[in-house]
Amino acid sequence: MAQTPPGHGHTENLGAGKAIAVLTSGGDAQGMNAAVRAVVRVGIYTGAKVYFVHEGGTVIGSARCQDFRTREGRLKAARNLVKRGITNLCVIGGDGSLTGADTFRAEWSSLLAELVKVGGITAEEAKKSSYLNIVGMVGSIDNDFCGTDMTIGTDSALHRIMEIVDAITTTAQSHQRTFVLEVMGRHCGYLALITALACGADWVFIPESPPEDDWEDHLCRRLTETRVGGSRLNIIIVAEGAIDKHGKAITSDDIKNLVVKRLGYDTRVTILGHVQRGGTPSAFDRILGSRMGVEAVMALLEGTPDTPACVVSLSGNQAVRLPLMECVQVTKDVTTAMNEGRFDDALKLRGRSFQNNWNVYKLLAHIRPPSTKVRQRGRGDGVPLNPTTPPTLAPSSPQSGYTLAVLNVGAPAAGMNAAVRSTVRIGLIHGHRMLAVHDGFEGLAYGKLEEISWDRVGSWTGLGGSKLGTKRTLPKKYFEEISASISNFGIHGLIIIGGFEAFTGSLELMEGRAKYEELCIPLCIIPATVSNNVPGSDFSIGADTALNTITTTCDRIKQSAAGTKRRVFIIETMGGFCGYLATMAGLAAGADAAYIYEEHFNIRDLQVNVEHLTEKMKTTVKRGLVLRNERCNENYTTDFIYNLYSEEGKGIFDCRKNVLGHMQQGGTPTPFDRNFGTKMGAKAVAWITGKIKECSRHGRIFANTADSACLLGMRKRSLVFQPITDLKEQTDFEHRIPKEQWWLKLRPILKILAKYNIELDTSEKAHLEHVTRKRISLESNI
């Protein structure tokens, strides 16, 4: 336990005279340590005493305590808290741990009365500890707790799973195999479902939605179709709790035996087991744990005897507080619904986000690919990319489908290919003809288009970079050529996946509508850039992958100093003028400072940071980490900061510098980026299909209104379409960043966790909501 220096701000005195205990209970989950760290450091910062409850992994140990299930065990626990003056308890665990904590709180008064009666505590001690505040954080890799979009540990577990799936994919393609992968999830199919979405699996079995009775026939037909389509690989994902409609278990061995017996395919089973709990936490889980830890401390210290025990949750991009027992009850209702065979109810109770993941998966995998025929090219059909290319395959649909073109613009970003795959396949399902544009706006101008089929994009989900090729070129100087391409290829709508250039280029296309009628077609922009600097969206595809790359690199760099005392690393990150990567990587990697353009700093600030590190070197942690956004300051360059720290730290610490460069744009996409890209593509196609119909007049399409060119972005709790002309006012075009950026409110947390005295921004404090009224999903129905 540590004491805090006297503070001066409101939040720095909030915990004065109070005590907080933090414990982790139940199964361990990656990211719990980040949550514990945040609770301890923010608690100390507010002036509170903070205690660990050991064995309560995590660094403080996690256990499933049988004693606590008994009244006698809870009496011991109450006495231990009262004797230390602890009236605030932060519990990090699953629904069992949180239910036990709520029972403990409900019994608190009677426990104290009994302890006074038997002489365990004095009446005065009982009076001082008359009520107990409890706040929960959900740590569970299964994401099985209703009321939060993501539990601590889930994203990291998905990282472990996807690493193995990617490795298996390589070996399976070499040998033409079928792999059956069993992942955790006895009562919740979230890990299995997201894994299936993220790797484009042929089939997934989840307990919430058992397959139809003739599933064996459907599965074998599906596997045969993909093999006939040219795939050398089949992947089937099974949640460990998978069942059929009658409650009978469906095991990985059952599936293997079926495939071998019916199809004769070389089939292997891999049961991932506890490897899913291991490894270092992902950047998402570290940041989630840190944000939830801060919110938990605030909720505890603001609690009153009338405040119900609450759980701190994530809704979209927002921290929310929910009554603990409401969440526990809904979670139990899911199990009851499954036990009673009410599987539709179980899916609904999981929340709209879970339902939408399931619906998108079914569209992309369970629906039969559109039957194909050779399209006879006529006027307006365009030409193959290469004259020697044989006639391409196009969907044969009873619908009168449109022609949609998809292109990548700007720098490559991991997850772009997942978005293209989803766009193409959902487009084909809608009955559209799908065209792939190579090399961005330039390729659109030069006619570098080809019709793209269902099977062509089959394995794209896990590929980094851009398979279509991408350029930063803007369209203004090519209006005439682009108009000709749109006319020649008969394009009815454009889906543009890219970064800031995708946004500005689309604005240019809108300006060109006045002169070129061909440009009067609907446009949809999907933000995809590691910099996360596109206005209108809290997240861009690719930023999560880049963030994990930086965080992993920081871990390794810090580890390299384990045998060398007193060393400070200066690391330069990408982002242009946007400080998102530097800030969030700083929060995830435990940086001592992160210099960004949006938060002005001067030589005095640099000196304060050097002095802070000098003091830190006197503690047990004798290494420092400083991040610098590449364009944070024209004069305070990475070399300047490195030289300053080196000079000022002489005799106290030495310095090393690293410029991470383009490695931040590479690598295989994270589960978040694969899933995000997949859902964004699906939603974009649904929107543009409706918009084309809306703009059709007498067989012609004329889109000239502001709402016919929209950007699809995640804003706080939902995915929304916003006219790009409306976003102009929200944009700093000179520095290529939005004028307001949500993540800037997290910067004080970074500094508090680095032990700086700074006022915490509580302007967007979470308020207690109710599960039934809460919008759980990130997106409305696809």
Side-chain angles (χ1 to χ4, degrees):
M1 193 210 37
Q3 297 288 344
T4 181
H8 56 272
H10 169 66
T11 49
E12 286 182 288
N13 294 315
L14 193 62
K18 297 181 179 179
I20 299 170
V22 57
L23 65 90
T24 55
S25 179
D28 60 309
Q30 306 98 313
M32 278 185 171
N33 286 332
V36 171
R37 172 178 179 262
V39 170
V40 171
R41 290 199 168 176
V42 175
I44 291 171
Y45 154 84
T46 63
K49 288 182 178 180
V50 185
Y51 293 85
F52 284 151
V53 180
H54 288 279
E55 303 303 333
T58 63
V59 290
I60 58 176
S62 183
R64 291 182 168 94
C65 179
Q66 297 303 317
D67 283 357
F68 199 77
R69 296 176 184 271
T70 67
R71 171 102 180 162
E72 187 181 349
R74 294 194 290 275
L75 275 168
K76 288 180 187 175
R79 184 177 183 278
N80 288 334
L81 294 182
V82 171
K83 287 295 183 183
R84 290 166 177 80
I86 298 168
T87 55
N88 298 283
L89 191 59
C90 179
V91 180
I92 308 170
D95 60 339
S97 306
L98 298 178
T99 303
D102 192 71
T103 302
F104 189 44
R105 187 185 197 233
E107 291 181 350
W108 185 252
S109 295
S110 67
L111 291 171
L112 295 195
E114 191 172 334
L115 285 168
V116 170
K117 188 175 179 181
V118 299
I121 60 173
T122 66
E124 184 63 26
E125 286 172 330
K127 188 178 178 183
K128 284 182 181 177
S129 303
S130 59
Y131 69 93
L132 178 70
N133 282 327
I134 286 182
V135 171
M137 281 185 275
V138 192
S140 165
I141 68 164
D142 292 336
N143 202 31
D144 56 354
F145 193 80
C146 294
T148 185
D149 284 344
M150 196 75 100
T151 57
I152 297 168
T154 303
D155 188 67
S156 299
L158 285 169
H159 273 253
R160 298 294 87 73
I161 295 168
M162 289 314 305
E163 286 168 11
I164 294 162
V165 171
D166 287 346
I168 281 173
T169 298
T170 308
T171 183
Q173 285 178 331
S174 303
H175 297 279
Q176 241 186 330
R177 281 182 179 150
T178 296
F179 266 92
V180 182
L181 279 88
E182 184 181 300
V183 301
M184 284 186 169
R186 275 176 300 174
H187 307 296
C188 180
Y190 185 87
L191 287 179
L193 175 54
I194 300 303
T195 299
L197 266 174
C199 73
D202 296 283
W203 201 280
V204 65
F205 293 90
I206 61 172
E208 293 89 346
S209 186
E212 298 301 324
D213 286 341
D214 55 351
W215 64 267
E216 294 94 341
D217 297 333
H218 288 300
L219 173 60
C220 291
R221 188 199 74 219
R222 174 75 184 145
L223 298 181
T224 304
E225 283 172 353
T226 55
R227 284 288 173 98
V228 170
S231 173
R232 296 176 58 83
L233 161 71
N234 294 121
I235 291 184
I236 301 162
I237 308 294
V238 191
E240 62 180 335
I243 53 174
D244 64 18
K245 292 273 187 190
H246 310 288
K248 183 190 172 192
I250 297 175
T251 69
S252 44
D253 282 333
D254 292 339
I255 298 162
K256 176 192 172 180
N257 294 336
L258 170 72
V259 175
V260 170
K261 185 178 177 181
R262 292 259 195 111
L263 303 176
Y265 291 171
D266 183 2
T267 306
R268 306 296 168 92
V269 171
T270 301
I271 298 173
L272 301 189
H274 278 71
V275 69
Q276 294 158 90
R277 291 191 186 276
T280 56
S282 66
F284 183 97
D285 272 330
R286 298 181 197 201
I287 294 165
L288 177 64
S290 299
R291 288 180 69 186
M292 298 300 100
V294 173
E295 192 59 46
V297 171
M298 293 298 115
L300 281 172
L301 298 182
E302 292 164 10
T304 68
D306 301 321
T307 309
C310 77
V311 61
V312 177
S313 299
L314 181 75
S315 179
N317 192 29
Q318 302 293 107
V320 295
R321 301 177 191 174
L322 299 168
L324 191 154
M325 286 317 293
E326 281 188 22
C327 297
V328 168
Q329 188 55 54
V330 176
T331 303
K332 287 179 176 175
D333 289 345
V334 175
T335 306
T336 302
M338 287 194 288
N339 290 339
E340 294 175 358
R342 294 183 289 109
F343 297 108
D344 287 344
D345 290 342
L347 272 174
K348 288 173 187 170
L349 288 165
R350 280 277 179 233
R352 205 182 303 161
S353 182
F354 191 98
Q355 289 178 77
N356 286 332
N357 283 320
W358 180 238
N359 290 336
V360 172
Y361 175 76
K362 284 195 297 183
L363 275 177
L364 290 170
H366 280 211
I367 285 183
R368 254 185 161 157
S371 58
T372 54
K373 66 178 182 181
V374 175
R375 182 189 291 276
Q376 297 300 316
R377 294 190 177 279
R379 190 176 177 187
D381 257 0
V383 293
L385 182 60
N386 183 329
T388 62
T389 305
T392 53
L393 295 174
S396 174
S397 169
Q399 301 169 271
S400 54
Y402 303 113
T403 296
L404 303 183
V406 57
L407 62 156
N408 294 159
V409 176
M416 274 183 165
N417 293 324
V420 171
R421 172 185 178 269
S422 172
T423 299
V424 168
R425 287 196 165 182
I426 298 293
L428 292 173
I429 287 166
H430 276 270
H432 303 321
R433 172 177 173 240
M434 301 302 297
L435 300 179
V437 182
H438 297 264
D439 300 335
F441 289 123
E442 190 177 302
L444 184 58
Y446 292 143
K448 292 185 178 179
L449 290 83
E450 65 170 326
E451 196 163 338
I452 191 161
S453 68
W454 180 279
D455 294 324
R456 173 78 183 281
V457 295
S459 61
W460 284 22
T461 316
L463 301 177
S466 166
K467 288 282 285 181
L468 296 183
T470 181
K471 289 193 173 181
R472 297 179 184 270
T473 315
L474 293 174
K476 201 165 193 175
K477 61 182 178 182
Y478 297 116
F479 278 168
E480 201 162 308
E481 295 86 348
I482 287 172
S483 299
S485 286
I486 290 172
S487 177
N488 291 339
F489 286 86
I491 296 169
H492 301 117
L494 285 176
I495 293 178
I496 303 165
I497 303 167
F500 202 82
E501 291 87 356
F503 171 63
T504 52
S506 299
L507 284 171
E508 288 185 5
L509 289 177
M510 284 198 75
E511 289 172 22
R513 284 175 169 180
K515 190 174 178 184
Y516 296 92
E517 191 177 294
E518 294 85 355
L519 301 180
C520 295
I521 58 174
L523 314 172
C524 183
I525 299 97
I526 297 175
T529 167
V530 301
S531 301
N532 200 34
N533 64 330
V534 180
S537 190
D538 291 350
F539 295 115
S540 295
I541 296 166
D544 186 69
T545 303
L547 185 55
N548 275 280
T549 300
I550 298 167
T551 304
T552 302
T553 306
C554 288
D555 285 351
R556 289 174 179 169
I557 287 171
K558 282 164 66 177
Q559 194 179 50
S560 75
T564 311
K565 303 301 183 188
R566 304 207 253 309
R567 180 162 286 174
V568 174
F569 294 94
I570 317 292
I571 297 176
E572 181 186 299
T573 67
M574 272 184 165
F577 285 99
C578 180
Y580 175 83
L581 288 177
T583 297
M584 300 305 265
L587 195 54
D592 296 281
Y595 300 119
I596 63 170
Y597 164 76
E598 294 92 341
E599 192 174 276
H600 178 72
F601 62 96
N602 56 32
I603 195 69
R604 177 62 193 138
D605 297 314
L606 292 169
Q607 184 62 35
V608 167
N609 294 148
V610 172
E611 290 167 0
H612 180 81
L613 280 167
T614 302
E615 285 302 306
K616 182 180 177 180
M617 294 302 163
K618 297 175 183 176
T619 70
T620 55
V621 183
K622 300 188 185 299
R623 60 177 182 266
L625 180 66
V626 174
L627 299 181
R628 178 190 176 273
N629 166 252
E630 61 184 347
R631 304 193 72 173
C632 64
N633 189 290
E634 189 179 354
N635 297 309
Y636 298 143
T637 63
T638 301
D639 284 340
F640 177 92
I641 291 174
Y642 165 71
N643 291 332
L644 175 72
Y645 273 68
S646 296
E647 181 62 31
E648 295 296 317
K650 272 184 181 173
I652 304 163
F653 57 80
D654 64 352
C655 284
R656 296 288 186 274
K657 68 177 175 183
N658 293 80
V659 177
L660 301 186
H662 282 76
M663 67 180 288
Q664 296 159 84
Q665 286 181 343
T668 57
T670 58
F672 180 94
D673 278 331
R674 298 184 198 201
N675 189 25
F676 193 41
T678 298
K679 287 195 283 193
M680 294 281 268
K683 198 162 177 72
V685 172
W687 176 85
I688 208 163
T689 302
K691 192 56 68 176
I692 292 171
K693 288 177 184 172
E694 189 183 303
C695 298
S696 296
R697 298 285 185 278
H698 310 296
R700 291 181 68 245
I701 291 161
F702 188 78
N704 204 24
T705 55
D707 67 354
S708 64
C710 283
L711 182 138
L712 172 57
M714 183 180 160
R715 303 299 291 262
K716 293 190 175 178
R717 298 196 191 184
S718 55
L719 290 176
V720 291
F721 290 94
Q722 306 141 96
I724 56 174
T725 49
D726 290 358
L727 297 174
K728 286 167 75 173
E729 292 299 312
Q730 302 172 27
T731 308
D732 174 352
F733 284 96
E734 181 188 351
H735 298 101
R736 296 161 54 91
I737 54 174
K739 289 179 181 175
E740 290 189 12
Q741 300 183 90
W742 67 272
W743 50 267
L744 286 169
K745 291 186 181 295
L746 301 184
R747 294 218 15 116
I749 299 175
L750 188 155
K751 294 176 182 176
I752 289 167
L753 295 179
K755 298 185 181 177
Y756 283 90
N757 280 328
I758 182 170
E759 182 63 17
L760 182 62
D761 184 349
T762 55
S763 59
E764 286 194 5
K765 186 169 61 183
H767 298 284
L768 192 69
E769 300 182 10
H770 293 278
V771 180
T772 49
R773 294 183 213 152
K774 194 176 83 69
R775 287 166 59 197
I776 293 175
S777 81
L778 300 186
E779 61 289 302
S780 60
N781 284 321
I782 296 297

